[in-house]
Each structure stands twice: as structure tokens, then as C-alpha cells.
Amino acid sequence: MTPIDREEAARRAADELLKPGYKKEALLDQAWRHFQQFVGDLMDAATGSGTTGGVISAIVITLIISGVIALVVWRLRKSSRMNAAAPDGLFGERTMTAAEHRQAAERLAAKGDWTEAIQERLRAIARDLEERALVDGMPGRTADELAAEAGQALPGFADELTAAARSFDDVTYGAEPGTRQAYEAMSGLDERLRQARPVPLAGSPLGSTS
């Protein structure tokens, strides 16, 4: 039996698929098949043609593979960012400082947007504690997680932090409207937390006495 080359095999396969007995190939499958055939042709050219053609084919293959890798990395990074901004988390995608969250809260409060003002004020508290290294900068942190961790560093504020987290959850997920009273309580807590110092751990230099 006489051997056939790649082109003849592809032609025969195409003729076979054109017969009425075959179902129409899905567009995605067809595109993938053409891509595989294209890469296969390039590989054949790189290994079977002259030096110049082989170099050009190798460059094209490298560019294609690099493009695919870049696309996969981009998708993974996008997915990672979306996961970091968890639905129950305090923060969105944009990173803001404590001062920026505080200013945003004050602007919202001035307009009477108490719900969003409360949210921004707790974000200011969370970011301020992160900037002072009193809590870890954990992506997707919830208000309850913030209160629990901050309450360990500042036990004197544990109850107020829990109440602040509950207030945030009520207006964010509980569909309860924010109020001036709730915002002022959050604002007062923020100001006092800014002046607070953590309780030193036992045995640490801050906890030792002279």
C-alpha cells in the first residue's frame, strides 16, 4: 500500500466529513481542529524544511505558545482579583487608604447617605488598623473577622468592634437603613481607635517592666 502524506490524508478526511451521513461539526470543535492542524503544519515545516523556514516557523510557534500562556495568566489574575473581592468582604477592588475611606464617609454623611457612610467608616477603621499593623491585611475579610481579630489586639474595644461589625452587616446585607445615630457611633469609635494602643503580649518588650 502506497503511503500518503499529511496533505493527502487531510484531503481524504475532509472528503469523508462532507458525506451526508456525518453531522455538522460544532464551530468550536472545527476551530480547534484547524488550530491543531495549523500548529502541526508549522511543526512539520520547522523540522522538515530549510534552515530559514525552520527558524521562522519556530519563531511563530513560540509566539503562539507565549500568547496562549499570557492569556491563561491574565485569566488567572482576573479570577484571583474577583475572588479577593469576596461578596461578604469589607473592601471592593480598588485599594484606598484609611484617610480616603474616612473622607468618603464624611462626604456621604454630609449628604445624609447614612448607609454608605457607615460602610465607608468601618472600612476606614479596618484600613487604619491594617496600616498600624494591628490586624493582618487579609483579602476578602468580613466585618465579623475584623472585629474578632482587632478585639484581640484591643480587648477594651472588643464589644464596640462587634457592635460596629453588626451595624455594617445590618445595612449591607440585612437591608436595614443606616441612621445618623449609627454613623456617629461608628465615627466616634473610629476616632478613639486611632488613639488606642494595643495590649502588649506577655513576655514581650512592651509588656516587661523595669
Side-chain angles (χ1 to χ4, degrees):
M1 183 176 181
T2 304
I4 61 174
D5 56 19
R6 172 185 288 273
E7 293 183 1
E8 179 63 18
R11 187 187 65 78
R12 293 186 183 183
D15 291 340
E16 182 69 19
L17 290 174
L18 288 174
K19 292 181 179 180
Y22 289 93
K23 293 182 180 180
K24 187 176 180 181
E25 185 179 16
L27 181 61
L28 184 60
D29 293 337
Q30 184 179 8
W32 176 245
R33 179 172 57 79
H34 284 311
F35 174 75
Q36 288 180 309
Q37 182 176 349
F38 173 68
V39 173
D41 291 342
L42 287 177
M43 293 294 293
D44 289 344
T47 56
S49 60
T51 304
T52 303
V55 171
I56 294 176
S57 300
I59 292 175
V60 173
I61 293 172
T62 301
L63 291 175
I64 292 174
I65 294 175
S66 299
V68 172
I69 293 174
L71 179 62
V72 171
V73 170
W74 176 77
R75 291 293 301 176
L76 289 174
R77 287 181 178 177
K78 183 178 180 180
S79 177
S80 178
R81 288 195 300 268
M82 293 176 64
N83 291 335
D88 293 336
L90 280 171
F91 301 106
E93 291 186 4
R94 182 182 170 225
T95 300
M96 297 171 59
T97 65
E100 289 174 329
H101 281 297
R102 201 168 284 119
Q103 291 169 0
E106 291 173 354
R107 287 195 298 268
L108 291 165
K111 295 188 297 183
D113 295 335
W114 302 115
T115 293
E116 295 184 16
I118 289 170
Q119 293 170 335
E120 285 299 316
R121 200 73 189 205
L122 187 63
R123 289 171 183 141
I125 291 174
R127 191 67 78 198
D128 183 75
L129 293 173
E130 289 177 2
E131 291 172 354
R132 294 162 59 193
L134 296 180
V135 298
D136 294 331
M138 181 175 64
R141 181 198 306 278
T142 66
D144 292 333
E145 290 170 341
L146 169 71
E149 186 175 354
Q152 295 179 356
L154 301 167
F157 292 89
D159 291 341
E160 290 182 85
L161 285 164
T162 299
R166 187 179 303 113
S167 179
F168 178 92
D169 289 342
D170 287 343
V171 300
T172 304
Y173 313 114
E176 293 189 14
T179 63
R180 176 193 294 270
Q181 181 180 4
Y183 174 75
E184 289 179 349
M186 189 87 71
S187 178
L189 175 61
D190 181 23
E191 294 301 324
R192 285 182 286 110
L193 284 171
R194 294 170 66 184
Q195 306 299 323
R197 295 293 179 269
V199 174
L201 298 175
S204 67
L206 292 176
S208 61
T209 57
S210 58

